[in-house]
Short mmCIF file of all heavy atoms in Angstrom, two decimals:
data_model
loop_
_atom_site.label_atom_id
_atom_site.label_comp_id
_atom_site.label_asym_id
_atom_site.label_seq_id
_atom_site.Cartn_x
_atom_site.Cartn_y
_atom_site.Cartn_z
N PRO Z 773 4.18 10.07 3.11
CA PRO Z 773 3.43 9.64 1.95
C PRO Z 773 4.39 9.47 0.71
O PRO Z 773 5.56 10.00 0.70
CB PRO Z 773 2.51 10.82 1.62
CG PRO Z 773 3.27 12.04 2.26
CD PRO Z 773 4.02 11.48 3.45
N ALA Z 774 3.95 8.59 -0.18
CA ALA Z 774 4.82 8.38 -1.42
C ALA Z 774 4.60 9.55 -2.40
O ALA Z 774 5.43 9.88 -3.25
CB ALA Z 774 4.34 7.10 -2.12
N CYS Z 775 3.53 10.30 -2.05
CA CYS Z 775 3.20 11.44 -3.04
C CYS Z 775 2.30 12.43 -2.29
O CYS Z 775 1.41 11.97 -1.52
CB CYS Z 775 2.50 10.84 -4.27
SG CYS Z 775 1.68 12.03 -5.27
N VAL Z 776 2.47 13.69 -2.57
CA VAL Z 776 1.53 14.71 -2.11
C VAL Z 776 0.84 15.29 -3.33
O VAL Z 776 1.40 15.68 -4.29
CB VAL Z 776 2.34 15.90 -1.34
CG1 VAL Z 776 1.42 17.06 -1.09
CG2 VAL Z 776 2.87 15.35 -0.05
N ILE Z 777 -0.48 15.34 -3.27
CA ILE Z 777 -1.34 15.89 -4.31
C ILE Z 777 -1.80 17.23 -3.97
O ILE Z 777 -2.42 17.48 -2.91
CB ILE Z 777 -2.51 15.04 -4.64
CG1 ILE Z 777 -2.06 13.55 -5.01
CG2 ILE Z 777 -3.29 15.57 -5.78
CD1 ILE Z 777 -3.16 12.59 -5.38
N ALA Z 792 6.72 19.66 0.34
CA ALA Z 792 6.86 18.19 0.01
C ALA Z 792 8.18 18.06 -0.71
O ALA Z 792 8.99 17.05 -0.47
CB ALA Z 792 5.70 17.80 -0.96
N PHE Z 793 8.46 19.01 -1.65
CA PHE Z 793 9.84 18.93 -2.41
C PHE Z 793 10.98 18.97 -1.47
O PHE Z 793 11.92 18.24 -1.54
CB PHE Z 793 9.80 20.12 -3.37
CG PHE Z 793 11.10 20.15 -4.28
CD1 PHE Z 793 11.22 19.23 -5.23
CD2 PHE Z 793 12.08 21.09 -3.90
CE1 PHE Z 793 12.38 19.25 -6.03
CE2 PHE Z 793 13.24 21.06 -4.71
CZ PHE Z 793 13.33 20.16 -5.74
N LYS Z 796 11.59 15.86 0.03
CA LYS Z 796 11.96 14.89 -1.03
C LYS Z 796 10.82 13.88 -1.19
O LYS Z 796 10.96 12.65 -1.40
CB LYS Z 796 13.25 14.09 -0.63
CG LYS Z 796 14.49 14.88 -0.61
CD LYS Z 796 15.67 14.20 -1.12
CE LYS Z 796 16.87 15.10 -1.46
NZ LYS Z 796 17.89 15.14 -0.54
N ILE Z 797 9.64 14.40 -1.23
CA ILE Z 797 8.36 13.59 -1.54
C ILE Z 797 7.86 14.10 -2.91
O ILE Z 797 7.78 15.23 -3.22
CB ILE Z 797 7.27 13.94 -0.43
CG1 ILE Z 797 7.87 13.47 0.90
CG2 ILE Z 797 6.04 13.11 -0.71
CD1 ILE Z 797 6.97 13.87 2.05
N ALA Z 798 7.45 13.13 -3.68
CA ALA Z 798 6.99 13.49 -5.09
C ALA Z 798 5.68 14.26 -4.99
O ALA Z 798 4.79 14.02 -4.15
CB ALA Z 798 6.69 12.20 -5.82
N VAL Z 799 5.55 15.26 -5.90
CA VAL Z 799 4.40 16.16 -5.99
C VAL Z 799 3.61 15.89 -7.16
O VAL Z 799 4.17 15.68 -8.29
CB VAL Z 799 4.79 17.66 -5.90
CG1 VAL Z 799 3.60 18.48 -6.08
CG2 VAL Z 799 5.55 17.96 -4.61
N ALA Z 800 2.30 15.69 -7.10
CA ALA Z 800 1.39 15.57 -8.17
C ALA Z 800 0.56 16.79 -8.20
O ALA Z 800 -0.02 17.15 -7.18
CB ALA Z 800 0.55 14.34 -8.08
N LEU Z 827 8.57 22.04 -9.72
CA LEU Z 827 8.99 21.00 -8.75
C LEU Z 827 8.04 19.78 -8.75
O LEU Z 827 8.21 18.82 -7.97
CB LEU Z 827 8.98 21.60 -7.31
CG LEU Z 827 7.74 22.32 -6.81
CD1 LEU Z 827 6.67 21.35 -6.23
CD2 LEU Z 827 8.07 23.37 -5.79
N THR Z 828 7.08 19.84 -9.66
CA THR Z 828 6.12 18.72 -9.73
C THR Z 828 6.64 17.44 -10.50
O THR Z 828 7.28 17.59 -11.54
CB THR Z 828 4.90 19.20 -10.41
OG1 THR Z 828 4.14 20.14 -9.59
CG2 THR Z 828 3.96 18.13 -10.82
N SER Z 829 6.30 16.32 -9.99
CA SER Z 829 6.78 15.14 -10.70
C SER Z 829 5.72 14.71 -11.78
O SER Z 829 6.05 14.24 -12.87
CB SER Z 829 6.89 13.91 -9.72
OG SER Z 829 7.92 14.10 -8.90
N TRP Z 830 4.40 14.81 -11.42
CA TRP Z 830 3.31 14.40 -12.32
C TRP Z 830 2.39 15.57 -12.49
O TRP Z 830 1.77 16.03 -11.54
CB TRP Z 830 2.68 13.17 -11.86
CG TRP Z 830 3.68 12.07 -11.67
CD1 TRP Z 830 4.42 11.49 -12.66
CD2 TRP Z 830 4.08 11.41 -10.44
NE1 TRP Z 830 5.27 10.62 -12.08
CE2 TRP Z 830 5.03 10.52 -10.71
CE3 TRP Z 830 3.63 11.55 -9.08
CZ2 TRP Z 830 5.73 9.66 -9.76
CZ3 TRP Z 830 4.24 10.81 -8.14
CH2 TRP Z 830 5.28 9.91 -8.48
#
Side-chain angles (χ1 to χ4, degrees):
C775 166
V776 169
I777 301 182
F793 181 75
K796 298 216 164 103
I797 299 168
V799 174
L827 54 83
T828 288
S829 291
W830 302 298

